[in-house]
PDB file of all heavy atoms in Angstrom:
ATOM      1  N   ASP A 402      74.325  68.046  90.405  1.00 98.00           N
ATOM      2  CA  ASP A 402      74.753  69.252  91.145  1.00 98.00           C
ATOM      3  C   ASP A 402      74.100  69.196  92.551  1.00 98.00           C
ATOM      4  O   ASP A 402      73.085  69.793  92.798  1.00 98.00           O
ATOM      5  CB  ASP A 402      74.339  70.515  90.392  1.00 98.00           C
ATOM      6  CG  ASP A 402      74.807  71.778  91.113  1.00 98.00           C
ATOM      7  OD1 ASP A 402      75.417  71.644  92.181  1.00 98.00           O
ATOM      8  OD2 ASP A 402      74.568  72.843  90.604  1.00 98.00           O
ATOM      9  N   TRP A 403      74.777  68.550  93.450  1.00 98.00           N
ATOM     10  CA  TRP A 403      74.242  68.386  94.862  1.00 98.00           C
ATOM     11  C   TRP A 403      74.243  69.688  95.615  1.00 98.00           C
ATOM     12  O   TRP A 403      73.535  69.820  96.607  1.00 98.00           O
ATOM     13  CB  TRP A 403      74.932  67.215  95.580  1.00 98.00           C
ATOM     14  CG  TRP A 403      74.574  65.911  94.968  1.00 98.00           C
ATOM     15  CD1 TRP A 403      75.419  65.081  94.287  1.00 98.00           C
ATOM     16  CD2 TRP A 403      73.305  65.281  94.944  1.00 98.00           C
ATOM     17  NE1 TRP A 403      74.766  63.932  93.852  1.00 98.00           N
ATOM     18  CE2 TRP A 403      73.435  64.028  94.279  1.00 98.00           C
ATOM     19  CE3 TRP A 403      72.051  65.650  95.464  1.00 98.00           C
ATOM     20  CZ2 TRP A 403      72.366  63.169  94.022  1.00 98.00           C
ATOM     21  CZ3 TRP A 403      70.960  64.743  95.255  1.00 98.00           C
ATOM     22  CH2 TRP A 403      71.136  63.550  94.579  1.00 98.00           C
ATOM     23  N   THR A 404      75.036  70.655  95.164  1.00 98.00           N
ATOM     24  CA  THR A 404      75.059  71.928  95.842  1.00 98.00           C
ATOM     25  C   THR A 404      73.681  72.622  95.641  1.00 98.00           C
ATOM     26  O   THR A 404      73.109  73.246  96.534  1.00 98.00           O
ATOM     27  CB  THR A 404      76.135  72.819  95.243  1.00 98.00           C
ATOM     28  OG1 THR A 404      77.281  72.067  95.058  1.00 98.00           O
ATOM     29  CG2 THR A 404      76.460  74.028  96.132  1.00 98.00           C
ATOM     30  N   GLU A 405      73.172  72.496  94.411  1.00 98.00           N
ATOM     31  CA  GLU A 405      71.860  73.051  94.107  1.00 98.00           C
ATOM     32  C   GLU A 405      70.827  72.424  95.029  1.00 98.00           C
ATOM     33  O   GLU A 405      69.961  73.084  95.661  1.00 98.00           O
ATOM     34  CB  GLU A 405      71.488  72.800  92.632  1.00 98.00           C
ATOM     35  CG  GLU A 405      70.056  73.272  92.358  1.00 98.00           C
ATOM     36  CD  GLU A 405      69.700  73.052  90.840  1.00 98.00           C
ATOM     37  OE1 GLU A 405      70.584  73.245  89.991  1.00 98.00           O
ATOM     38  OE2 GLU A 405      68.535  72.699  90.541  1.00 98.00           O
ATOM     39  N   PHE A 406      70.881  71.070  95.151  1.00 98.00           N
ATOM     40  CA  PHE A 406      69.931  70.334  96.030  1.00 98.00           C
ATOM     41  C   PHE A 406      70.015  70.818  97.456  1.00 98.00           C
ATOM     42  O   PHE A 406      68.978  71.130  98.092  1.00 98.00           O
ATOM     43  CB  PHE A 406      70.289  68.839  95.953  1.00 98.00           C
ATOM     44  CG  PHE A 406      69.464  67.895  96.883  1.00 98.00           C
ATOM     45  CD1 PHE A 406      68.127  67.636  96.581  1.00 98.00           C
ATOM     46  CD2 PHE A 406      70.091  67.315  97.992  1.00 98.00           C
ATOM     47  CE1 PHE A 406      67.393  66.752  97.397  1.00 98.00           C
ATOM     48  CE2 PHE A 406      69.352  66.434  98.747  1.00 98.00           C
ATOM     49  CZ  PHE A 406      68.010  66.198  98.491  1.00 98.00           C
ATOM     50  N   GLU A 407      71.193  71.009  97.963  1.00 98.00           N
ATOM     51  CA  GLU A 407      71.352  71.477  99.363  1.00 98.00           C
ATOM     52  C   GLU A 407      70.795  72.848  99.549  1.00 98.00           C
ATOM     53  O   GLU A 407      70.157  73.211 100.563  1.00 98.00           O
ATOM     54  CB  GLU A 407      72.889  71.484  99.771  1.00 98.00           C
ATOM     55  CG  GLU A 407      73.387  70.112 100.090  1.00 98.00           C
ATOM     56  CD  GLU A 407      74.930  69.982  99.913  1.00 98.00           C
ATOM     57  OE1 GLU A 407      75.617  71.037 100.001  1.00 98.00           O
ATOM     58  OE2 GLU A 407      75.351  68.857  99.628  1.00 98.00           O
ATOM     59  N   GLN A 408      71.062  73.708  98.534  1.00 98.00           N
ATOM     60  CA  GLN A 408      70.505  75.061  98.589  1.00 98.00           C
ATOM     61  C   GLN A 408      68.971  75.063  98.646  1.00 98.00           C
ATOM     62  O   GLN A 408      68.353  75.761  99.466  1.00 98.00           O
ATOM     63  CB  GLN A 408      71.001  75.905  97.428  1.00 98.00           C
ATOM     64  CG  GLN A 408      72.415  76.361  97.554  1.00 98.00           C
ATOM     65  CD  GLN A 408      72.599  77.261  98.853  1.00 98.00           C
ATOM     66  OE1 GLN A 408      71.732  78.034  99.189  1.00 98.00           O
ATOM     67  NE2 GLN A 408      73.678  77.012  99.551  1.00 98.00           N
ATOM     68  N   VAL A 409      68.339  74.214  97.812  1.00 98.00           N
ATOM     69  CA  VAL A 409      66.910  74.140  97.793  1.00 98.00           C
ATOM     70  C   VAL A 409      66.393  73.640  99.177  1.00 98.00           C
ATOM     71  O   VAL A 409      65.425  74.148  99.705  1.00 98.00           O
ATOM     72  CB  VAL A 409      66.388  73.245  96.654  1.00 98.00           C
ATOM     73  CG1 VAL A 409      64.856  73.025  96.728  1.00 98.00           C
ATOM     74  CG2 VAL A 409      66.751  73.846  95.263  1.00 98.00           C
ATOM     75  N   LEU A 410      67.053  72.630  99.732  1.00 97.00           N
ATOM     76  CA  LEU A 410      66.644  72.084 101.062  1.00 97.00           C
ATOM     77  C   LEU A 410      66.816  73.170 102.173  1.00 97.00           C
ATOM     78  O   LEU A 410      66.100  73.179 103.131  1.00 97.00           O
ATOM     79  CB  LEU A 410      67.456  70.841 101.392  1.00 97.00           C
ATOM     80  CG  LEU A 410      66.703  69.526 101.243  1.00 97.00           C
ATOM     81  CD1 LEU A 410      66.217  69.357  99.785  1.00 97.00           C
ATOM     82  CD2 LEU A 410      67.546  68.379 101.632  1.00 97.00           C
ATOM     83  N   LYS A 411      67.792  74.029 101.968  1.00 96.00           N
ATOM     84  CA  LYS A 411      67.989  75.082 102.963  1.00 96.00           C
ATOM     85  C   LYS A 411      67.014  76.231 102.856  1.00 96.00           C
ATOM     86  O   LYS A 411      67.033  77.171 103.587  1.00 96.00           O
ATOM     87  CB  LYS A 411      69.386  75.698 102.805  1.00 96.00           C
ATOM     88  CG  LYS A 411      70.456  74.898 103.534  1.00 96.00           C
ATOM     89  CD  LYS A 411      71.740  75.717 103.587  1.00 96.00           C
ATOM     90  CE  LYS A 411      72.954  74.888 103.874  1.00 96.00           C
ATOM     91  NZ  LYS A 411      74.136  75.221 103.110  1.00 96.00           N
ATOM     92  N   GLY A 412      66.156  76.188 101.797  1.00 96.00           N
ATOM     93  CA  GLY A 412      65.145  77.244 101.668  1.00 96.00           C
ATOM     94  C   GLY A 412      65.520  78.266 100.614  1.00 96.00           C
ATOM     95  O   GLY A 412      64.815  79.261 100.420  1.00 96.00           O
ATOM     96  N   ASN A 413      66.637  77.970  99.884  1.00 97.00           N
ATOM     97  CA  ASN A 413      67.075  78.996  98.889  1.00 97.00           C
ATOM     98  C   ASN A 413      66.784  78.600  97.500  1.00 97.00           C
ATOM     99  O   ASN A 413      67.487  79.090  96.560  1.00 97.00           O
ATOM    100  CB  ASN A 413      68.580  79.243  99.095  1.00 97.00           C
ATOM    101  CG  ASN A 413      68.863  79.693 100.501  1.00 97.00           C
ATOM    102  OD1 ASN A 413      68.111  80.441 101.062  1.00 97.00           O
ATOM    103  ND2 ASN A 413      70.005  79.247 101.072  1.00 97.00           N
ATOM    104  N   GLY A 414      65.804  77.737  97.188  1.00 97.00           N
ATOM    105  CA  GLY A 414      65.472  77.417  95.847  1.00 97.00           C
ATOM    106  C   GLY A 414      64.706  78.609  95.250  1.00 97.00           C
ATOM    107  O   GLY A 414      64.323  79.536  95.928  1.00 97.00           O
ATOM    108  N   PRO A 415      64.404  78.507  93.904  1.00 98.00           N
ATOM    109  CA  PRO A 415      63.762  79.619  93.275  1.00 98.00           C
ATOM    110  C   PRO A 415      62.380  80.003  93.870  1.00 98.00           C
ATOM    111  O   PRO A 415      62.006  81.163  93.807  1.00 98.00           O
ATOM    112  CB  PRO A 415      63.561  79.152  91.830  1.00 98.00           C
ATOM    113  CG  PRO A 415      64.345  77.908  91.678  1.00 98.00           C
ATOM    114  CD  PRO A 415      64.778  77.411  93.033  1.00 98.00           C
ATOM    115  N   CYS A 416      61.630  79.065  94.364  1.00 98.00           N
ATOM    116  CA  CYS A 416      60.273  79.367  94.842  1.00 98.00           C
ATOM    117  C   CYS A 416      59.969  79.043  96.290  1.00 98.00           C
ATOM    118  O   CYS A 416      58.819  79.071  96.736  1.00 98.00           O
ATOM    119  CB  CYS A 416      59.194  78.680  93.974  1.00 98.00           C
ATOM    120  SG  CYS A 416      59.301  79.067  92.258  1.00 98.00           S
ATOM    121  N   ASN A 417      61.013  78.678  97.101  1.00 98.00           N
ATOM    122  CA  ASN A 417      60.745  78.288  98.483  1.00 98.00           C
ATOM    123  C   ASN A 417      59.830  79.247  99.256  1.00 98.00           C
ATOM    124  O   ASN A 417      58.879  78.904  99.842  1.00 98.00           O
ATOM    125  CB  ASN A 417      62.003  78.013  99.295  1.00 98.00           C
ATOM    126  CG  ASN A 417      62.834  76.893  98.806  1.00 98.00           C
ATOM    127  OD1 ASN A 417      63.245  76.883  97.644  1.00 98.00           O
ATOM    128  ND2 ASN A 417      63.132  75.893  99.585  1.00 98.00           N
ATOM    129  N   ARG A 418      60.250  80.485  99.206  1.00 97.00           N
ATOM    130  CA  ARG A 418      59.551  81.546  99.997  1.00 97.00           C
ATOM    131  C   ARG A 418      58.077  81.639  99.534  1.00 97.00           C
ATOM    132  O   ARG A 418      57.164  81.698 100.329  1.00 97.00           O
ATOM    133  CB  ARG A 418      60.263  82.874  99.967  1.00 97.00           C
ATOM    134  CG  ARG A 418      61.423  82.917 100.897  1.00 97.00           C
ATOM    135  CD  ARG A 418      62.286  84.173 100.743  1.00 97.00           C
ATOM    136  NE  ARG A 418      63.581  83.868 101.394  1.00 97.00           N
ATOM    137  CZ  ARG A 418      64.600  83.270 100.711  1.00 97.00           C
ATOM    138  NH1 ARG A 418      64.443  82.940  99.491  1.00 97.00           N
ATOM    139  NH2 ARG A 418      65.707  83.018 101.325  1.00 97.00           N
ATOM    140  N   GLU A 419      57.929  81.697  98.226  1.00 97.00           N
ATOM    141  CA  GLU A 419      56.600  81.831  97.642  1.00 97.00           C
ATOM    142  C   GLU A 419      55.668  80.662  98.018  1.00 97.00           C
ATOM    143  O   GLU A 419      54.517  80.881  98.321  1.00 97.00           O
ATOM    144  CB  GLU A 419      56.819  81.842  96.117  1.00 97.00           C
ATOM    145  CG  GLU A 419      55.615  82.170  95.266  1.00 97.00           C
ATOM    146  CD  GLU A 419      55.971  82.036  93.774  1.00 97.00           C
ATOM    147  OE1 GLU A 419      57.166  82.330  93.377  1.00 97.00           O
ATOM    148  OE2 GLU A 419      55.087  81.588  93.023  1.00 97.00           O
ATOM    149  N   ARG A 420      56.267  79.493  98.062  1.00 98.00           N
ATOM    150  CA  ARG A 420      55.428  78.252  98.346  1.00 98.00           C
ATOM    151  C   ARG A 420      54.945  78.361  99.828  1.00 98.00           C
ATOM    152  O   ARG A 420      53.748  78.103 100.082  1.00 98.00           O
ATOM    153  CB  ARG A 420      56.239  76.986  98.175  1.00 98.00           C
ATOM    154  CG  ARG A 420      56.699  76.744  96.724  1.00 98.00           C
ATOM    155  CD  ARG A 420      55.586  76.469  95.790  1.00 98.00           C
ATOM    156  NE  ARG A 420      56.135  76.177  94.489  1.00 98.00           N
ATOM    157  CZ  ARG A 420      55.823  76.849  93.326  1.00 98.00           C
ATOM    158  NH1 ARG A 420      54.953  77.830  93.315  1.00 98.00           N
ATOM    159  NH2 ARG A 420      56.396  76.509  92.197  1.00 98.00           N
ATOM    160  N   ILE A 421      55.864  78.636 100.734  1.00 98.00           N
ATOM    161  CA  ILE A 421      55.460  78.657 102.168  1.00 98.00           C
ATOM    162  C   ILE A 421      54.532  79.842 102.401  1.00 98.00           C
ATOM    163  O   ILE A 421      53.504  79.683 103.122  1.00 98.00           O
ATOM    164  CB  ILE A 421      56.708  78.747 103.042  1.00 98.00           C
ATOM    165  CG1 ILE A 421      57.424  77.411 102.997  1.00 98.00           C
ATOM    166  CG2 ILE A 421      56.317  79.069 104.504  1.00 98.00           C
ATOM    167  CD1 ILE A 421      56.681  76.208 103.508  1.00 98.00           C
ATOM    168  N   GLU A 422      54.728  80.910 101.719  1.00 98.00           N
ATOM    169  CA  GLU A 422      53.862  82.083 101.834  1.00 98.00           C
ATOM    170  C   GLU A 422      52.409  81.664 101.416  1.00 98.00           C
ATOM    171  O   GLU A 422      51.458  82.016 102.057  1.00 98.00           O
ATOM    172  CB  GLU A 422      54.394  83.197 100.953  1.00 98.00           C
ATOM    173  CG  GLU A 422      54.066  84.599 101.412  1.00 98.00           C
ATOM    174  CD  GLU A 422      53.979  84.736 102.950  1.00 98.00           C
ATOM    175  OE1 GLU A 422      54.992  84.603 103.637  1.00 98.00           O
ATOM    176  OE2 GLU A 422      52.809  85.012 103.398  1.00 98.00           O
ATOM    177  N   ALA A 423      52.313  80.950 100.276  1.00 98.00           N
ATOM    178  CA  ALA A 423      51.004  80.535  99.757  1.00 98.00           C
ATOM    179  C   ALA A 423      50.321  79.616 100.767  1.00 98.00           C
ATOM    180  O   ALA A 423      49.095  79.711 100.982  1.00 98.00           O
ATOM    181  CB  ALA A 423      51.185  79.854  98.393  1.00 98.00           C
ATOM    182  N   ARG A 424      51.060  78.693 101.376  1.00 97.00           N
ATOM    183  CA  ARG A 424      50.513  77.734 102.327  1.00 97.00           C
ATOM    184  C   ARG A 424      50.053  78.500 103.600  1.00 97.00           C
ATOM    185  O   ARG A 424      49.030  78.184 104.192  1.00 97.00           O
ATOM    186  CB  ARG A 424      51.466  76.682 102.703  1.00 97.00           C
ATOM    187  CG  ARG A 424      51.677  75.627 101.628  1.00 97.00           C
ATOM    188  CD  ARG A 424      50.410  75.107 100.914  1.00 97.00           C
ATOM    189  NE  ARG A 424      49.410  74.725 101.816  1.00 97.00           N
ATOM    190  CZ  ARG A 424      48.109  74.677 101.531  1.00 97.00           C
ATOM    191  NH1 ARG A 424      47.657  75.007 100.368  1.00 97.00           N
ATOM    192  NH2 ARG A 424      47.224  74.273 102.470  1.00 97.00           N
ATOM    193  N   ARG A 425      50.859  79.480 103.997  1.00 97.00           N
ATOM    194  CA  ARG A 425      50.508  80.233 105.249  1.00 97.00           C
ATOM    195  C   ARG A 425      49.224  81.008 104.956  1.00 97.00           C
ATOM    196  O   ARG A 425      48.324  81.055 105.794  1.00 97.00           O
ATOM    197  CB  ARG A 425      51.665  81.196 105.563  1.00 97.00           C
ATOM    198  CG  ARG A 425      51.457  81.827 106.958  1.00 97.00           C
ATOM    199  CD  ARG A 425      52.741  82.501 107.420  1.00 97.00           C
ATOM    200  NE  ARG A 425      53.763  81.562 107.795  1.00 97.00           N
ATOM    201  CZ  ARG A 425      55.025  81.658 107.384  1.00 97.00           C
ATOM    202  NH1 ARG A 425      55.408  82.655 106.613  1.00 97.00           N
ATOM    203  NH2 ARG A 425      55.915  80.724 107.752  1.00 97.00           N
ATOM    204  N   LYS A 426      49.134  81.612 103.784  1.00 98.00           N
ATOM    205  CA  LYS A 426      47.927  82.372 103.479  1.00 98.00           C
ATOM    206  C   LYS A 426      46.681  81.444 103.442  1.00 98.00           C
ATOM    207  O   LYS A 426      45.625  81.786 103.972  1.00 98.00           O
ATOM    208  CB  LYS A 426      48.084  83.084 102.088  1.00 98.00           C
ATOM    209  CG  LYS A 426      46.947  83.971 101.743  1.00 98.00           C
ATOM    210  CD  LYS A 426      47.209  84.818 100.517  1.00 98.00           C
ATOM    211  CE  LYS A 426      46.082  85.774 100.187  1.00 98.00           C
ATOM    212  NZ  LYS A 426      44.760  85.124 100.111  1.00 98.00           N
ATOM    213  N   ALA A 427      46.869  80.256 102.828  1.00 96.00           N
ATOM    214  CA  ALA A 427      45.724  79.330 102.739  1.00 96.00           C
ATOM    215  C   ALA A 427      45.272  78.960 104.182  1.00 96.00           C
ATOM    216  O   ALA A 427      44.112  78.866 104.425  1.00 96.00           O
ATOM    217  CB  ALA A 427      46.131  78.160 101.904  1.00 96.00           C
ATOM    218  N   TRP A 428      46.248  78.737 105.044  1.00 96.00           N
ATOM    219  CA  TRP A 428      45.938  78.315 106.423  1.00 96.00           C
ATOM    220  C   TRP A 428      45.197  79.485 107.153  1.00 96.00           C
ATOM    221  O   TRP A 428      44.170  79.254 107.774  1.00 96.00           O
ATOM    222  CB  TRP A 428      47.256  77.971 107.140  1.00 96.00           C
ATOM    223  CG  TRP A 428      47.040  77.426 108.536  1.00 96.00           C
ATOM    224  CD1 TRP A 428      47.354  78.085 109.701  1.00 96.00           C
ATOM    225  CD2 TRP A 428      46.502  76.186 108.940  1.00 96.00           C
ATOM    226  NE1 TRP A 428      47.014  77.367 110.799  1.00 96.00           N
ATOM    227  CE2 TRP A 428      46.515  76.156 110.348  1.00 96.00           C
ATOM    228  CE3 TRP A 428      45.987  75.101 108.246  1.00 96.00           C
ATOM    229  CZ2 TRP A 428      45.988  75.083 111.074  1.00 96.00           C
ATOM    230  CZ3 TRP A 428      45.509  73.985 108.988  1.00 96.00           C
ATOM    231  CH2 TRP A 428      45.501  74.004 110.383  1.00 96.00           C
ATOM    232  N   ASP A 429      45.749  80.702 107.004  1.00 97.00           N
ATOM    233  CA  ASP A 429      45.060  81.843 107.677  1.00 97.00           C
ATOM    234  C   ASP A 429      43.673  82.077 107.091  1.00 97.00           C
ATOM    235  O   ASP A 429      42.737  82.265 107.792  1.00 97.00           O
ATOM    236  CB  ASP A 429      45.950  83.089 107.550  1.00 97.00           C
ATOM    237  CG  ASP A 429      47.223  82.944 108.314  1.00 97.00           C
ATOM    238  OD1 ASP A 429      47.339  82.030 109.157  1.00 97.00           O
ATOM    239  OD2 ASP A 429      48.191  83.775 108.049  1.00 97.00           O
ATOM    240  N   ASP A 430      43.591  82.005 105.757  1.00 97.00           N
ATOM    241  CA  ASP A 430      42.270  82.289 105.125  1.00 97.00           C
ATOM    242  C   ASP A 430      41.309  81.208 105.515  1.00 97.00           C
ATOM    243  O   ASP A 430      40.072  81.454 105.463  1.00 97.00           O
ATOM    244  CB  ASP A 430      42.401  82.301 103.557  1.00 97.00           C
ATOM    245  CG  ASP A 430      43.137  83.527 103.075  1.00 97.00           C
ATOM    246  OD1 ASP A 430      43.421  84.445 103.907  1.00 97.00           O
ATOM    247  OD2 ASP A 430      43.484  83.579 101.823  1.00 97.00           O
ATOM    248  N   GLY A 431      41.738  79.989 105.842  1.00 96.00           N
ATOM    249  CA  GLY A 431      40.855  78.900 106.190  1.00 96.00           C
ATOM    250  C   GLY A 431      40.414  78.865 107.651  1.00 96.00           C
ATOM    251  O   GLY A 431      39.661  78.038 108.062  1.00 96.00           O
ATOM    252  N   ALA A 432      40.925  79.845 108.434  1.00 96.00           N
ATOM    253  CA  ALA A 432      40.721  79.785 109.870  1.00 96.00           C
ATOM    254  C   ALA A 432      39.207  79.789 110.164  1.00 96.00           C
ATOM    255  O   ALA A 432      38.732  79.019 111.034  1.00 96.00           O
ATOM    256  CB  ALA A 432      41.354  80.981 110.568  1.00 96.00           C
ATOM    257  N   TRP A 433      38.427  80.614 109.462  1.00 97.00           N
ATOM    258  CA  TRP A 433      36.990  80.682 109.761  1.00 97.00           C
ATOM    259  C   TRP A 433      36.307  79.380 109.447  1.00 97.00           C
ATOM    260  O   TRP A 433      35.353  78.992 110.139  1.00 97.00           O
ATOM    261  CB  TRP A 433      36.348  81.828 109.009  1.00 97.00           C
ATOM    262  CG  TRP A 433      36.241  81.646 107.500  1.00 97.00           C
ATOM    263  CD1 TRP A 433      37.169  81.955 106.534  1.00 97.00           C
ATOM    264  CD2 TRP A 433      35.143  81.072 106.806  1.00 97.00           C
ATOM    265  NE1 TRP A 433      36.751  81.613 105.311  1.00 97.00           N
ATOM    266  CE2 TRP A 433      35.460  81.092 105.450  1.00 97.00           C
ATOM    267  CE3 TRP A 433      33.887  80.543 107.225  1.00 97.00           C
ATOM    268  CZ2 TRP A 433      34.619  80.609 104.468  1.00 97.00           C
ATOM    269  CZ3 TRP A 433      33.021  80.093 106.260  1.00 97.00           C
ATOM    270  CH2 TRP A 433      33.388  80.085 104.887  1.00 97.00           C
ATOM    271  N   VAL A 434      36.782  78.608 108.497  1.00 97.00           N
ATOM    272  CA  VAL A 434      36.154  77.331 108.167  1.00 97.00           C
ATOM    273  C   VAL A 434      36.427  76.326 109.333  1.00 97.00           C
ATOM    274  O   VAL A 434      35.471  75.621 109.773  1.00 97.00           O
ATOM    275  CB  VAL A 434      36.758  76.757 106.882  1.00 97.00           C
ATOM    276  CG1 VAL A 434      36.074  75.419 106.557  1.00 97.00           C
ATOM    277  CG2 VAL A 434      36.523  77.743 105.716  1.00 97.00           C
ATOM    278  N   ARG A 435      37.652  76.324 109.807  1.00 95.00           N
ATOM    279  CA  ARG A 435      37.966  75.401 110.956  1.00 95.00           C
ATOM    280  C   ARG A 435      37.125  75.820 112.164  1.00 95.00           C
ATOM    281  O   ARG A 435      36.599  74.949 112.855  1.00 95.00           O
ATOM    282  CB  ARG A 435      39.465  75.477 111.252  1.00 95.00           C
ATOM    283  CG  ARG A 435      40.343  74.900 110.118  1.00 95.00           C
ATOM    284  CD  ARG A 435      41.772  74.691 110.520  1.00 95.00           C
ATOM    285  NE  ARG A 435      42.452  75.961 110.927  1.00 95.00           N
ATOM    286  CZ  ARG A 435      42.983  76.800 110.048  1.00 95.00           C
ATOM    287  NH1 ARG A 435      42.963  76.503 108.728  1.00 95.00           N
ATOM    288  NH2 ARG A 435      43.608  77.880 110.461  1.00 95.00           N
ATOM    289  N   GLU A 436      37.055  77.154 112.436  1.00 96.00           N
ATOM    290  CA  GLU A 436      36.260  77.560 113.598  1.00 96.00           C
ATOM    291  C   GLU A 436      34.796  77.140 113.424  1.00 96.00           C
ATOM    292  O   GLU A 436      34.179  76.693 114.367  1.00 96.00           O
ATOM    293  CB  GLU A 436      36.331  79.090 113.763  1.00 96.00           C
ATOM    294  CG  GLU A 436      37.656  79.559 114.380  1.00 96.00           C
ATOM    295  CD  GLU A 436      37.973  81.028 114.160  1.00 96.00           C
ATOM    296  OE1 GLU A 436      36.990  81.788 113.832  1.00 96.00           O
ATOM    297  OE2 GLU A 436      39.166  81.396 114.190  1.00 96.00           O
TER     298      GLU A 436
END
Side-chain angles (χ1 to χ4, degrees):
D402 181 0
W403 292 111
T404 319
E405 175 179 323
F406 177 71
E407 282 156 26
Q408 281 303 319
V409 174
L410 258 58
K411 277 194 197 137
N413 301 325
C416 301
N417 293 58
R418 279 173 200 84
E419 187 184 328
R420 298 294 183 237
I421 289 299
E422 208 33 64
R424 287 316 309 158
R425 189 167 291 132
K426 182 171 183 311
W428 183 250
D429 292 346
D430 289 352
W433 71 272
V434 179
R435 294 190 297 277
E436 282 160 23

